[in-house]
């Protein structure tokens, strides 16, 4: 068997897992969802969901990965040799990773273009209408987004091809803390802005009447996406954990960081939005239309704009590297290719998918399926169907198929950590988490209200 690497240090492990977890979900989605759905009440629900559902699911993925020390597909076979059908769950995860890479890389490409524009000072003296036209022309040109996207995909390939320690870990050790610093700097700067109070009010003011079943389900979906669960990432990264490392420490640290960074992002972005009397938005609209408008007007907006788009790019690449690694680990182990060759093949495949997604965003593009352009299709297919199903099958596998003793040995690192809380965690994995994900799935399909 070929030698297989692990992460080299505890800090590197947390940085890599944290880099995957902290992404666009934290920056452009969470603050808005929280604001719309009950503020601090939503945040409380989100924290509970993270601890009771996401952390157990993450521990399950880590266990399958670390025990098998294989890629996301082979891991299932290694853990349960007599039940080859479970490999399908791994394959589903790998397919999910590929599709997410398709549209995620396009957004990252947009971030690169906007980083360039911010640096060139092109937002200055632009009206909101001018900014919108600028963005639409960019997307409609077709070739410009494609070039940026391909550049981004290639960067992923370079990082991943250098290996676990010299590529992924080394890169995340620098970039993950940098993201945190930029956000912190922006949040501190927000304290000088007049819109701070309104922003704090929007993000935090608790309104428990807003919490409904649907809102809880939204928190679950957001938390799984934000913690990179249900698609084999944590199986793959788990296979690089060292035997003595505490899984509780890694999962706990990143779960706490996930929430903190999302809140920090709200404090970094919304005060400026309110200062200029603009209503809060989320997603592409927030970062590619609303914010450039604000950067054009605010003091220090030139520098803040550059930092922000760099942050967006950093958040995207540390996440997409983890997605890329899921595919590369699979290709290199299953087809017995060197890491470099496997990375090249993966980059080519992702490059094709991402190009199609980018082109599907041009107005009048024929790249649609059932009325949805490819970009939206990949997005909704993965988040509505593939991730919940993947997550559900993974906890069922960990709780009911994996040998009881194996799961205990992995999660407690051979009885070293968390043995007291372990029975509770196991009960969550066996009963609570599958029940809630099944509910989430049925709700999303519209079979439950
Ligand atoms: N967790 C990342 C975020 O919050 C997104 C992501 C999802 C990354 C799935 C990888 C896989 O944006």
């Amino acid at each position: 068997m070929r030698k297989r690497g692990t992460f080299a240090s505890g800090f590197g492990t947390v940085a890599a897992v944290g880099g995957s977890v902290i992404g666009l979900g934290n920056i452009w989605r969470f603050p808005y969802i929280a604001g719309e759905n009950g503020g601090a009440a939503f945040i409380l629900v989100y924290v509970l969901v993270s601890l009771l559902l996401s952390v157990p699911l993450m521990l399950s993925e880590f266990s399958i990965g670390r025990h098998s020390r294989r890629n996301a597909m082979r891991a299932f076979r290694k853990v349960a040799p007599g039940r080859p059908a479970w490999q399908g769950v791994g394959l589903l995860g790998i397919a999910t990773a590929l599709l997410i890479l398709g549209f995620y890389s396009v957004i990252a490409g947009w971030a690169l273009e906007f980083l360039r524009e911010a640096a060139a000072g092109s937002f200055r003296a632009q009206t909101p209408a001018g900014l919108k036209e600028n963005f639409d022309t960019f997307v409609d040109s077709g070739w410009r987004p494609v070039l940026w996207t391909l550049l981004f995909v290639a960067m992923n390939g370079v990082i991943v091809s250098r290996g676990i320690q010299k590529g992924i870990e080394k890169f995340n050790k620098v970039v993950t803390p940098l993201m945190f610093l930029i956000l912190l700097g922006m949040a501190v700067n927000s304290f000088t802005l007049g819109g701070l109070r309104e922003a704090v009010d929007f993000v935090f003011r608790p309104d428990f009447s807003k919490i409904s079943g649907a809102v809880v389900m939204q928190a679950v979906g957001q938390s799984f996406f934000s913690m990179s669960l249900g698609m084999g990432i944590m199986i793959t990264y788990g296979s690089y954990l060292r035997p003595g490392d505490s899984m509780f420490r890694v999962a706990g640290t990143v779960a706490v960081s996930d929430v903190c960074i999302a809140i920090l992002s709200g404090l970094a972005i919304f005060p400026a939005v309110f200062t200029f009397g603009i209503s809060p938005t989320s997603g592409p609209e927030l970062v590619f239309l609303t914010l450039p408008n604000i950067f054009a007007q605010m003091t220090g907006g030139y520098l803040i704009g550059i930092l922000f788009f760099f942050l967006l790019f950093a958040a995207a690449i540390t996440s997409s590297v983890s997605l890329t690694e899921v595919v590369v680990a699979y290709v290199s182990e299953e087809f017995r290719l060197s890491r470099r060759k496997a990375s090249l093949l993966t980059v080519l495949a992702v490059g094709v998918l991402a190009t199609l997604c980018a082109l599907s965003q041009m107005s009048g593009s024929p790249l649609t399926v059932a009325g949805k352009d490819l970009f939206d299709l990949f997005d909704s297919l993965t988040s509505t169907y593939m991730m919940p199903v993947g997550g559900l099958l993974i906890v069922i596998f960990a709780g009911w198929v994996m040998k009881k003793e194996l799961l205990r040995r992995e999660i407690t690192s051979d009885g070293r950590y968390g043995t007291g809380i372990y029975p509770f965690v196991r009960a969550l994995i066996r009963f609570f988490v599958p029940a809630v994900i099944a509910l989430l799935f049925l709700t999303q399909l519209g079979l439950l209200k």
Side-chain angles (χ1 to χ4, degrees), residues 106-416:
V106 175
I107 303 174
W110 294 349
L112 283 174
E113 159 73 12
F114 273 64
L115 177 58
R116 184 193 68 75
E117 289 191 24
S122 8
F123 306 140
R124 235 177 275 147
Q126 281 272 27
T127 58
L131 285 165
K132 169 133 181 47
E133 199 192 313
N134 176 37
F135 181 65
D136 290 345
T137 322
F138 165 64
V139 170
D140 265 338
S141 78
W143 65 272
R144 283 167 64 203
V146 167
L147 281 187
W148 284 117
T149 300
L150 291 178
L151 175 67
F152 179 81
V153 174
M155 288 193 243
N156 279 280
V158 170
I159 296 166
V160 170
S161 70
R162 297 202 169 160
I164 322 298
Q165 292 184 3
K166 296 211 184 91
I168 299 174
E169 182 171 353
K170 201 164 155 197
F171 180 74
N172 278 293
K173 264 161 82 173
V174 178
V175 178
T176 305
L178 203 58
M179 287 196 275
F180 179 70
L181 285 181
I182 295 178
L183 267 176
L184 199 64
M186 284 180 69
V188 168
N189 183 56
S190 289
F191 284 90
T192 64
L193 299 174
L196 179 66
R197 276 190 59 181
E198 251 178 294
V200 170
D201 205 49
F202 175 73
V203 179
F204 292 107
R205 197 182 41 189
D207 180 355
F208 281 91
S209 71
K210 288 253 175 83
I211 304 299
S212 62
V215 168
V216 175
M217 285 302 155
Q218 201 177 357
V220 176
Q222 168 71 14
S223 178
F224 284 0
F225 182 81
S226 192
M227 300 250 291
S228 308
L229 297 171
M231 68 208 91
I233 290 183
M234 296 305 165
I235 296 180
T236 307
Y237 273 13
S239 74
Y240 307 136
L241 289 180
R242 294 170 302 180
D245 281 336
S246 162
M247 286 186 187
F248 282 106
R249 193 180 70 97
V250 180
T253 313
V254 297
V256 171
S257 317
D258 178 57
V259 183
C260 292
I261 296 273
I263 291 175
L264 198 59
S265 168
L267 290 177
I269 295 173
F270 284 147
V273 173
F274 283 103
T275 301
F276 291 93
I278 299 169
S279 26
T281 48
S282 69
E285 187 183 347
L286 172 70
V287 297
F288 298 115
L289 298 178
T290 309
L291 289 181
N293 176 24
I294 288 164
F295 296 145
Q297 301 175 50
M298 83 193 273
T299 345
Y302 174 72
L303 189 64
I304 297 178
I306 295 178
L307 284 174
F308 177 78
F309 285 108
F310 176 78
L311 168 73
L312 206 62
F313 158 69
I317 195 161
T318 49
S319 295
S320 62
V321 156
S322 69
L323 288 161
T324 308
E325 176 59 20
V326 170
V327 186
V328 168
Y330 166 73
V331 173
S332 78
E333 285 172 15
E334 296 306 316
F335 302 96
R336 296 177 187 279
L337 294 176
S338 68
R339 176 164 274 275
R340 286 187 55 175
K341 281 202 187 115
S343 306
L344 186 65
L345 281 178
T346 305
V347 161
L348 290 176
V350 173
V352 170
L353 287 175
T355 300
L356 292 174
C357 280
L359 295 177
S360 82
Q361 292 298 93
M362 295 166 73
S363 49
S365 162
L367 292 167
T368 58
V369 177
K372 264 194 173 132
D373 62 57
L374 273 192
F375 182 105
D376 289 341
L377 181 75
F378 286 5
D379 183 4
S380 63
L381 210 60
T382 50
S383 61
T384 316
Y385 303 98
M386 300 171 81
M387 286 168 48
V389 171
L392 177 61
L393 293 172
I394 289 168
V395 270
I396 292 179
F397 181 83
W400 299 88
V401 179
M402 191 168 175
K403 285 213 185 74
K404 198 174 157 189
E405 181 53 21
L406 278 189
L407 186 71
R408 193 193 62 81
R409 274 217 320 253
E410 281 306 328
I411 292 190
T412 63
S413 304
D414 251 335
R416 250 179 283 190

